[in-house]
Amino acid sequence: MKFAMIGAGAMGLRYGILLQEAGNDVTFIDTWQPHIDKIREQGGVYQMRDHKDRHLVHIKLETPESYDGDPDMLIFFTKQMQLADYLKRCSHFFNDKQYAFTCMNGMGHIEKLQQYFADDKIIGGTALIATVLPGPGEVDFMGKRGAGKMNMCPLNEKPDEMTHRLFDELQKAGMNPTLTDDFTGTLMTKVIFNSVINTICTMFELPMGEFGNFPGAYEMSRQLIDEAYDICARADIHLVSTRKEEMAALDRNTRIDMPLHYPSMYQDMIKDRPTEVDYINGYIAQLGRKYHYEAKTHLFVTQAVHLAEFHRQNLAKQRANQAELSAPQAQTA
Ligand code: NAD
């Protein structure tokens, strides 16, 4: 199958490299210049697994402007706030036969994809697969081969031949896909999951196991879960797990499956990049308002993450001022 990976960051590289190894024709499309320059200079991307086995993988890399191929499937792995710009810049090679697939976190991306693709060509999903981009031209796949898993569902909830072909390729690539039958329920269940772990671990800069082992973790998680589930009940969204199952999944994921891992939102925070919190907790709170439910805890933690971002920006400014003051002054004659 012919794939174009829109966004060659951590997840775009993970899906794309594994699909390429499974025998597919994959082209990566990106806009981050230092990353593009490094990949071109190296002749590919350095890939690791759990910080080990660093080796070069050759990839085809283009920018939105330089690519003129006709892929069967476009896989979108940008951050939520980057998607509109990517779509606009890539739109010259879109056509009505192509499918758009994504496992991005948060909510807001599907409406943007709908501006360019018909509903029967959009496949959404969620990924419990951790990947880190340590720097330009380098990617680290966390967890053993085949350790993660993912859900996928067509927007119209009617899997067609292309959905099954994608499913087969993802299975060959070791992504452990499950085909689900409720689009919004599948995506929202992951948004709620992220609204606890990503958000709390990011604002306190904690590895997931430290939160999972904190005696107050159950109470903090339960409050966020209860608000989100109350809102979904009002919005008639059928989540794919019960509150109890979601609490058990959070506990297992933090304490047992990935205790040493930092969530992807944390990776943005420590690189002083904006986080996706507005598309996760912010989205839940916004949905609540639509149904006259004030999700006070989600509103509070959204602002708490923004406060942590604000604090880091101020620290970066202070460091820059300090460096300027201590730099040797130019000598005047
Ligand atoms: P990413 O930040 O690694 O890459 C997304 C885009 O940002 C790419 O175009 C990349 O080149 C660019 N980029 C990366 N670092 C940059 C920097 N320092 N400055 C400027 N641009 C930079 O994003 P990702 O982790 O691949 O996430 C894509 C989507 O998948 C998001 O919605 C995310 O929440 C979701 N997701 C991520 C993971 C994970 O473990 N990384 C897991 C599940 C879902």
Side-chain angles (χ1 to χ4, degrees):
M1 221 162 144
K2 198 167 173 180
F3 288 96
M5 307 301 304
I6 315 294
M11 291 297 274
L13 284 170
R14 184 151 191 178
Y15 272 70
I17 289 174
L18 293 174
L19 285 166
Q20 181 172 295
E21 284 174 5
N24 295 285
D25 176 352
V26 180
T27 304
F28 296 83
I29 294 165
D30 208 81
T31 59
W32 183 29
Q33 203 55 48
H35 193 43
I36 295 170
D37 294 344
K38 197 79 187 168
I39 294 172
R40 293 204 170 132
E41 179 195 314
Q42 299 171 163
V45 175
Y46 278 99
Q47 187 226 306
M48 294 172 279
R49 195 177 278 279
D50 293 326
H51 317 314
K52 296 189 199 101
D53 185 30
R54 190 174 184 272
H55 61 282
L56 188 67
V57 179
H58 298 284
I59 63 164
K60 287 191 277 183
L61 178 72
E62 300 281 347
T63 62
E65 289 72 26
S66 69
Y67 184 63
D68 64 355
D70 181 12
D72 308 306
M73 177 85 50
L74 298 113
I75 302 191
F76 289 86
F77 268 124
T78 68
K79 286 280 156 60
Q80 286 279 350
M81 45 284 197
Q82 300 171 314
L83 182 62
D85 182 55
Y86 262 98
L87 282 163
K88 198 166 149 204
R89 290 174 63 175
C90 292
S91 59
H92 67 94
F93 61 79
F94 295 167
N95 64 51
D96 59 8
K97 292 185 195 64
Q98 293 163 340
Y99 282 67
F101 170 59
T102 180
C103 282
M104 285 164 54
N105 281 337
M107 277 297 221
H109 53 317
I110 303 302
E111 291 85 341
K112 294 190 184 96
L113 290 175
Q114 282 177 297
Q115 291 170 19
Y116 295 87
F117 300 93
D119 286 5
D120 62 355
K121 295 282 190 288
I122 297 176
I123 306 171
T126 58
L128 259 185
I129 296 174
T131 314
V132 174
L133 200 70
E138 202 170 26
V139 64
D140 197 354
F141 296 1
M142 310 311 292
K144 292 191 188 75
R145 195 180 170 87
K149 57 183 181 175
M150 53 164 290
N151 287 329
M152 56 184 278
C153 183
L155 176 56
N156 65 3
E157 297 171 352
K158 294 183 188 119
D160 61 3
E161 195 205 326
M162 219 30 190
T163 312
H164 290 291
R165 278 182 64 195
L166 174 65
F167 179 92
D168 291 345
E169 293 308 326
L170 291 168
Q171 196 154 41
K172 272 195 254 164
M175 317 305 291
N176 292 329
T178 298
L179 198 53
T180 62
D181 56 12
D182 189 314
F183 184 84
T184 311
T186 299
L187 268 58
M188 274 307 286
T189 306
K190 178 76 183 334
V191 171
I192 296 172
F193 186 84
N194 288 138
S195 78
V196 180
I197 300 188
N198 281 33
T199 309
I200 294 174
C201 292
T202 299
M203 75 179 130
F204 291 107
E205 303 192 14
L206 300 177
M208 284 157 50
E210 203 171 336
F211 172 60
N213 285 310
F214 168 58
Y218 181 90
E219 226 171 303
M220 288 174 86
S221 308
R222 188 71 208 217
Q223 194 163 323
L224 288 162
I225 294 285
D226 278 342
E227 276 187 11
Y229 271 68
D230 288 351
I231 291 165
C232 287
R234 283 169 169 74
D236 203 23
I237 295 171
H238 304 277
L239 297 164
V240 298
S241 48
T242 63
R243 293 177 200 226
K244 206 172 155 197
E245 287 164 349
E246 190 83 341
M247 289 297 297
L250 283 168
D251 183 50
R252 196 176 51 247
N253 199 256
T254 53
R255 284 191 316 105
I256 298 157
D257 295 347
M258 291 200 247
L260 301 177
H261 181 69
Y262 289 89
S264 57
M265 189 189 278
Y266 166 87
Q267 311 293 338
D268 293 328
M269 177 72 81
I270 55 153
K271 289 177 188 154
D272 297 324
R273 296 177 71 201
T275 69
E276 293 180 303
V277 70
D278 288 337
Y279 303 86
I280 300 177
N281 302 79
Y283 179 84
I284 294 169
Q286 222 180 34
L287 186 66
R289 283 197 171 145
K290 197 167 155 197
Y291 292 93
H292 313 292
Y293 184 109
E294 196 69 354
K296 287 189 179 157
T297 322
H298 284 280
L299 285 165
F300 184 87
V301 297
T302 303
Q303 292 311 329
V305 171
H306 286 316
L307 174 60
E309 290 170 332
F310 180 71
H311 175 59
R312 287 193 61 97
Q313 280 161 16
N314 287 337
L315 286 179
K317 273 187 215 150
Q318 280 169 22
R319 277 195 303 271
N321 288 343
Q322 210 75 46
E324 206 173 304
L325 284 175
S326 51
Q329 297 299 308
Q331 296 292 316
T332 46

